[in-house]
Amino acid sequence: MGLRANPTYRQRRFGAEVRAIRERAGMSTAEAAGVMGMRQSHISNVEAGRTGLSPERLRALAAASGSENTTHIDALVELGQASGKGWWTEYREQLRPSLLDLAELEDRAVNIVCYEPMFIPGLFQTLAYATAGYQGGYALSSREQQGRELDFRMRRQRVLKGEPPRIHAVIHEAALHVSWGSSETMRDQLLRLIEVGRLPNVTLQVLPFDGRVGFGTSFTLLEPAVPQLSTVVVEHVEKPLYLGDPEALARYRNWFARLCEAALPPLAPEGNTEAYLVKNSLGLIQRLLYPLLQEEPHVSARVAEVELQ
């Protein structure tokens, strides 16, 4: 089998974890090659994500390095043996590899935490809101390409169905004031946000203007069953950064915890009227929503479902 020309994030991450095991044991590539019965050049290609490694050789390296965390090694074996195929596979050659990497990470996640300073998180967006964002954004792409990316974003939301991961989102109040498209678009998006926030697996908080200064950059932490293999995706104007080293994971977990402390209390799925008398995330969203509702001559049944009881 030839070497991979463009390894995926999962393949690169597997290689990085193999390198970390070797380096923690103080082993050179030559020593590791001897332990696993392979050429030194093969080790370099494994660690770069250009080729795989059999479970037997990985376990041999782990044993020689004195690694006792069998849960981590088992998860790493699974990561290395994964096919990488899923619903996102049909978009290969059509979309940026980073988008496919994100979908694969979401598919494997049991916990997702995210912070958004200017936009509604992609997993919570309505089609109209997402469309307005693409059409009014700065990215130069054809309508055909925009259509593919919009379809991809909407299909990502299937992670909310079946056995969904636990999702905790902190959204800055600024994102709720941005007017994309018509007032109807923003009305429906705020309604959608309330509906999603009431899902039992979703925790939604708003960081208010009068709170602590928030981050200017959005980030998402995706945690699989073994947190050691988590990934932070940090948005950037050029391309997103994918970080998996222990220091970065600890840093972003700490930052998210501080954002949660500064944000308003979350929307409670079982909330009652008394609960909404205090200042909280739902109350803020509703205060922004009601003026938009007044612009419509009739309140739809869907709107009535999310009004206060």
Side-chain angles (χ1 to χ4, degrees):
M1 182 181 295
L3 298 178
R4 303 166 183 142
N6 299 297
T8 66
Y9 171 77
R10 177 184 55 80
Q11 292 163 342
R12 297 194 306 273
R13 178 61 182 275
F14 176 80
E17 291 293 322
V18 172
R19 181 176 64 250
I21 292 174
R22 175 181 63 79
E23 291 178 344
R24 282 196 297 268
M27 300 170 64
S28 66
T29 54
E31 291 170 331
V35 166
M36 292 186 286
M38 55 199 301
R39 296 190 304 275
Q40 184 174 348
S41 60
H42 193 169
I43 292 290
S44 298
N45 286 322
V46 169
E47 294 183 356
R50 291 190 290 267
T51 190
L53 186 67
S54 70
E56 295 75 20
R57 282 174 164 166
L58 175 58
R59 294 189 189 280
L61 176 64
S65 68
S67 176
E68 299 179 356
N69 190 340
T70 56
T71 300
H72 172 235
I73 298 303
D74 289 344
L76 193 54
V77 167
E78 181 182 353
L79 187 69
Q81 295 299 300
S83 68
K85 295 180 179 180
W87 64 265
W88 54 88
T89 306
E90 65 185 82
Y91 291 88
R92 286 178 179 171
E93 310 303 329
Q94 299 181 32
L95 301 179
R96 292 166 287 154
S98 61
L99 291 176
L100 306 182
D101 289 335
L102 177 60
E104 186 174 1
L105 286 170
E106 289 174 341
D107 185 68
R108 299 174 64 88
V110 297
N111 289 303
I112 299 176
V113 302
C114 67
Y115 166 68
E116 282 288 352
M118 285 297 297
F119 310 114
I120 304 301
L123 292 179
F124 303 159
Q125 292 180 6
T126 64
L127 177 58
Y129 179 93
T131 300
Y134 270 93
Q135 294 178 349
Y138 294 98
L140 299 178
S141 58
S142 66
R143 286 298 177 91
E144 181 181 6
Q145 182 65 18
Q146 289 181 6
R148 284 194 291 265
E149 294 193 13
L150 282 167
D151 179 66
F152 184 81
R153 181 171 296 186
M154 293 300 103
R155 291 188 68 181
R156 278 177 51 212
Q157 296 182 5
R158 64 176 57 191
V159 75
L160 297 173
K161 301 178 181 179
E163 296 183 6
R166 292 181 294 274
I167 303 176
H168 190 163
V170 174
I171 306 172
H172 198 284
E173 183 180 348
L176 308 180
H177 287 270
V178 175
S179 296
W180 280 3
S182 64
S183 59
E184 181 181 2
T185 296
M186 291 307 300
R187 180 204 66 190
D188 289 347
Q189 180 58 74
L190 293 178
L191 286 170
R192 172 62 175 163
L193 203 56
I194 293 174
E195 291 173 352
V196 171
R198 284 179 170 166
L199 294 175
N201 63 304
V202 174
T203 300
L204 177 61
Q205 291 182 262
V206 175
L207 184 65
F209 282 128
D210 58 1
R212 295 181 59 180
V213 176
F215 280 54
T217 302
S218 63
F219 63 86
T220 302
L221 172 63
L222 301 112
E223 296 185 335
V226 176
Q228 191 172 346
L229 296 179
S230 299
T231 298
V232 174
V233 181
V234 184
E235 292 300 327
H236 190 271
V237 66
E238 293 293 336
K239 62 179 181 180
L241 304 176
Y242 284 68
L243 308 175
D245 59 280
E247 293 77 14
L249 294 176
R251 188 165 60 250
Y252 278 90
R253 285 189 177 108
N254 179 59
W255 285 340
F256 187 76
R258 294 170 64 183
L259 286 167
C260 291
E261 292 177 357
L264 297 173
L267 186 159
E270 69 284 357
N272 51 41
T273 304
E274 289 73 19
Y276 301 139
L277 295 179
V278 298
K279 186 177 182 181
N280 57 28
S281 298
L282 176 62
L284 193 153
I285 295 173
Q286 288 179 320
R287 284 196 298 275
L288 296 175
L289 174 61
Y290 285 158
L292 298 176
L293 296 178
Q294 302 309 311
E295 298 179 11
E296 299 296 324
H298 302 287
V299 179
S300 67
R302 180 177 171 223
V303 172
E305 290 177 359
V306 299
E307 285 187 320
L308 296 180
Q309 301 298 321

